[in-house]
Amino acid sequence: MKRMVATKYRDTGRPSKARTLLEVWFANMSAYRAEIVIWMLTGSIPLIMLAVWIGKAQAAGGAVGDFTPQRFAAYFLAAWVSQQLVVAWVAWELDLQIRQGILSAKLLRPLDPLWEHLAMHVTERLVRVPLAIIVIVVGLFIVPGTQLTPDLPHALLYLLSINLAFLIRFLIAYCVGILAFWFEQAIAVEELYYSIAMFLTGSFAPLDLYPVWARTIIEWLPFPYVIYYPVQILTGEANGLEIVRIIAVQLAWITIFGVLRSLLWRRGLRRYGAVGA
Amino acid sequence: MKHLPAHTIQVAGLQKHYVVHEKEPGLAGSLRAFFHRKTKLVQAVAGVTFTIDPGEMVGFLGPNGAGKTTTLKMLAGLLHPSGGSVDVAGFTPKERRAAFLKLITLVMGQKQQLLWDLPALDSFRVNQAIYEIPDDEYQATMREFNTILELEGILKKQVRKLSLGERMKCELAAALLHRPKVLFLDEPTIGLDVNMQVRIREFVAEYNRRFQASVILTSHYMADVTALCKRIIVIDKGQIVFDGDLGELTERAGARKVISVELARLVTLERLASYGQVQSVEGLRARLEVPRQTTSSTAARLLAELPIADVTIEDPPIEEVIGQMFGGHRPATADMVRAQEPQEVGS
């Protein structure tokens, strides 16, 4: 049978999808600014660890290994900011949408729901910026002599790297959320990720202080590329070719999880279509 | 004309079954289910066949769990059929191609697609972008929807602050913004007051007229269906039990009306029964079933001859109509009342 086509209209310009999604979601996220501040404070492990490690450094006569209080301060402030910038709750969002059937309404639209989730996350980040700046200024003031970043190129490369880090984290969370197509308790995996990531991303301590065997294993996982390595770039610990390597590995992880997410999504939709939407 | 218009929707032998897990209640049941999961095959749709033409409006009727929603979801591409074939506007729905999704819409009760914390207008903008609707078409559509649905003044309010009816109007507008050619409306008026039901109905009729859209509508309210659809498909237990003219259906089954009366004081049941078939009695309230043709004369006689405080006339509930039509069984209450006569109505 002949296919129908939508009525053709003279094209008088149409809004860009990306811009509209970002504008509207920014408005939506702004409605949640108070909640977002509270969520930011719950993600404060690096700040607590900063106090712990400085205490330890002082007790040990000024430094732990090569780490002075100033170096700790730079590391954990950068880690805290990074953690703020890579937050992803899309697993919860998907879990809810899949289990309660809200996904159906989204599937009726000719757009992969991924893009809306992405817009949601990106705009939420912007709402976090003002408080993040305040925390950094206060932090730098409390530990005098702390240098967060050596120069502008490092800061700019950090911006690139932390956005890639966010994509890694976002895609991991997306894959976990998709598991809700099969398991009622998919979100437990997300909880597990959260507790593991705490240790493996470098939020608790710089990976330099980990035992060599642990460090060797961690290097082969995506986790250090979410917090630790972007922090290395910002604080000027990583330079030149090392920065290129970090970004290349980040791109590789994005590709891996991007492909995995597409595969899971396609299979998940088949299951959704089979057992009920 | 070179050729007759093709069918918009073509469904043949469509089936959907689910495997459901059964579990006995309680801890023991849970433990048993943990080791031996009992499964049961449920036939939600057991082979339905029909076609729908461009611009045609069809009402889907049937009791809860008859398979109406499952069928609509298969037509919209959300559920994959277990058997049979579906063709909607030349597409296979389950492939969910963008060109297909732009031609259809599915409105499911109050399943919200509007963003809760923002004005509806923002959700409309998102849909405009997602459906790639050119600006002038968007403006034109919004102007039309504004007039028919009277959206003025509610578009800029936060969706969470809208009343149920206002929200439903916005949901419908959002779902039709891309001017789909095929509408699947699943209980679009559920929970709305009568005025709002009428408004929504008028909107759907107007949309159908203007855009020559095909519409499949399911509803619990007989009035929705009678106002909009010439053709009715009745589904029961996953199968089509009636497909034809609305007039024929009402003749076959809906030839009766229900008069509900509230009495000012007690009256014998015998006396009440002389006006029609007494269906239920509850305190001073009673429900009488009467032939459609004599409804108004009976109501007039009731008012003149009995101490009536209030009277309303309505269609029998749709489930009852279908139950009577295909099962021939009457509601239990009527039998109970009849078995107890004679007695006095009231407490």
Side-chain angles (χ1 to χ4, degrees), chain A residues 2-273:
Chain A
K2 208 170 148 275
R3 279 193 175 160
M4 277 191 176
V5 281
T7 324
K8 278 274 176 289
Y9 243 77
R10 202 162 40 87
D11 205 336
T12 45
R14 55 184 73 166
S16 122
K17 285 180 210 179
R19 204 181 135 183
T20 310
L21 278 177
L22 290 173
E23 274 178 20
V24 169
W25 275 105
F26 182 69
N28 200 46
M29 284 303 167
S30 304
Y32 283 99
R33 54 197 176 276
E35 287 88 336
I36 289 172
V37 166
I38 292 168
W39 289 332
M40 285 179 80
L41 297 176
T42 62
S44 295
I45 294 286
L47 295 184
I48 296 163
M49 294 318 290
L50 169 59
V52 172
W53 283 102
I54 286 180
K56 217 172 162 202
Q58 279 161 354
V64 176
D66 298 336
F67 278 82
T68 59
Q70 284 74 23
R71 215 177 143 197
F72 272 130
Y75 181 86
F76 283 113
L77 283 176
W80 181 78
V81 173
S82 303
Q83 195 166 303
Q84 298 301 323
L85 296 178
V86 300
V87 165
W89 65 95
V90 68
W92 269 274
E93 206 81 42
L94 280 170
D95 177 70
L96 191 79
Q97 289 186 356
I98 292 168
R99 287 189 304 113
Q100 302 198 350
I102 307 168
L103 187 66
S104 294
K106 309 273 175 200
L107 291 180
L108 290 169
R109 307 194 298 186
L111 182 80
D112 188 328
L114 175 113
W115 302 111
E116 198 172 21
H117 290 298
L118 194 60
M120 211 185 285
H121 281 70
V122 168
T123 50
E124 194 257 10
R125 218 114 311 200
L126 300 176
V127 180
R128 286 178 184 244
V129 167
L131 182 67
I133 291 173
I134 294 173
V135 169
I136 291 173
V137 170
V138 171
L140 294 176
F141 183 75
I142 290 176
V143 188
T146 303
Q147 188 194 42
L148 192 61
T149 187
D151 49 34
L152 189 62
H154 277 89
L156 292 177
L157 285 165
Y158 166 76
L159 276 185
L160 170 64
S161 175
I162 198 64
N163 279 302
L164 298 178
F166 160 71
L167 284 177
I168 298 175
R169 170 71 189 107
F170 176 78
L171 288 170
I172 292 177
Y174 213 104
C175 292
V176 171
I178 291 175
L179 295 180
F181 281 122
W182 294 273
F183 310 110
E184 274 180 28
Q185 295 297 321
I187 213 67
V189 179
E190 177 67 13
E191 304 273 2
L192 185 68
Y193 172 92
Y194 205 75
S195 30
I196 294 175
M198 204 56 96
F199 293 97
L200 304 187
T201 57
S203 293
F204 261 128
L207 296 186
D208 315 68
L209 301 177
Y210 280 38
V212 178
W213 63 267
R215 181 82 195 264
T216 318
I217 298 171
I218 294 170
E219 287 295 336
W220 287 95
L221 302 173
F223 304 106
Y225 294 90
V226 176
I227 303 270
Y228 176 75
Y229 280 116
V231 166
Q232 297 301 95
I233 296 177
L234 181 65
T235 54
E237 305 273 343
N239 291 291
L241 268 183
E242 171 65 357
I243 296 181
V244 175
R245 184 195 70 83
I246 292 170
I247 287 171
V249 176
Q250 285 185 314
L251 289 171
W253 280 118
I254 290 170
T255 312
I256 290 171
F257 285 113
V259 170
L260 185 63
R261 138 35 241 192
S262 295
L263 288 174
L264 284 172
W265 181 245
R266 230 170 297 151
R267 294 189 145 247
L269 283 186
R270 231 178 292 154
R271 169 140 178 118
Y272 194 65

Side-chain angles (χ1 to χ4, degrees), chain B residues 101-347:
Chain B
L101 295 174
K102 284 182 184 179
L103 280 172
I104 66 143
T105 200
L106 167 63
V107 177
M108 292 177 283
Q110 272 113 48
K111 272 273 165 65
Q112 44 165 352
Q113 60 157 318
L114 300 172
L115 294 166
W116 199 241
D117 296 297
L118 296 178
L121 208 50
D122 279 323
S123 294
F124 291 1
R125 283 178 55 213
V126 168
N127 275 12
Q128 187 203 350
I130 288 178
Y131 284 98
E132 301 175 317
I133 305 168
D135 284 331
D136 62 348
E137 182 186 332
Y138 174 77
Q139 299 298 346
T141 310
M142 282 307 293
R143 265 196 305 276
E144 286 187 49
F145 287 6
N146 259 333
T147 346
I148 318 173
L149 281 174
E150 293 178 1
L151 297 173
E152 214 62 64
I154 63 175
L155 286 179
K156 291 182 179 167
K157 268 204 269 177
Q158 260 190 328
V159 169
R160 65 193 312 163
K161 292 189 178 136
L162 298 178
S163 71
L164 185 63
E166 291 173 330
R167 212 163 67 223
M168 199 56 219
K169 290 202 284 186
C170 291
E171 287 281 355
L172 255 186
L176 297 177
L177 207 56
H178 58 290
R179 299 189 179 178
K181 292 278 189 208
V182 185
L183 276 54
F184 304 116
L185 307 177
D186 194 12
E187 300 283 356
T189 56
I190 200 162
L192 301 181
D193 65 39
V194 178
N195 280 338
M196 200 56 82
Q197 286 178 21
V198 171
R199 176 63 47 75
I200 300 274
R201 243 174 256 156
E202 284 170 355
F203 176 64
V204 172
E206 182 69 17
Y207 185 92
N208 160 265
R209 209 173 50 75
R210 264 191 222 193
F211 300 105
Q212 276 304 298
S214 304
V215 181
I216 298 184
L217 173 95
T218 77
S219 181
H220 267 74
Y221 303 110
M222 191 64 172
D224 275 352
V225 178
T226 50
L228 289 172
C229 310
K230 283 199 193 71
R231 178 178 160 203
I232 304 290
I233 294 178
V234 181
I235 301 187
D236 192 22
K237 302 192 181 82
Q239 284 175 320
I240 294 181
V241 289
F242 176 89
D243 181 351
D245 201 56
L246 172 67
E248 201 187 318
L249 181 75
T250 36
E251 244 169 63
R252 266 171 70 174
R256 303 178 79 77
K257 286 236 173 205
V258 172
I259 302 181
S260 300
V261 290
E262 196 171 333
L263 297 158
R265 59 186 159 73
L266 304 182
V267 171
T268 61
L269 187 65
E270 245 171 350
R271 212 174 148 201
L272 207 54
S274 67
Y275 294 91
Q277 205 153 40
V278 181
Q279 284 219 315
S280 66
V281 176
E282 203 181 301
L284 284 167
R285 271 177 232 266
R287 279 159 56 85
L288 294 168
E289 210 183 78
V290 298
R292 183 177 289 271
Q293 300 90 325
T294 62
T295 311
S296 38
S297 59
T298 308
R301 270 174 52 223
L302 274 164
L303 280 169
E305 296 163 16
L306 291 182
I308 303 282
D310 193 21
V311 62
T312 50
I313 299 171
E314 58 206 37
D315 284 312
I318 197 72
E319 319 231 312
E320 216 168 277
V321 169
I322 290 162
Q324 278 176 27
M325 188 176 173
F326 303 102
H329 48 80
R330 312 210 127 267
T333 44
D335 292 320
M336 273 157 48
V337 172
R338 249 178 271 122
Q340 289 166 5
E341 11 180 19
Q343 69 168 56
E344 275 204 327
V345 176
S347 46

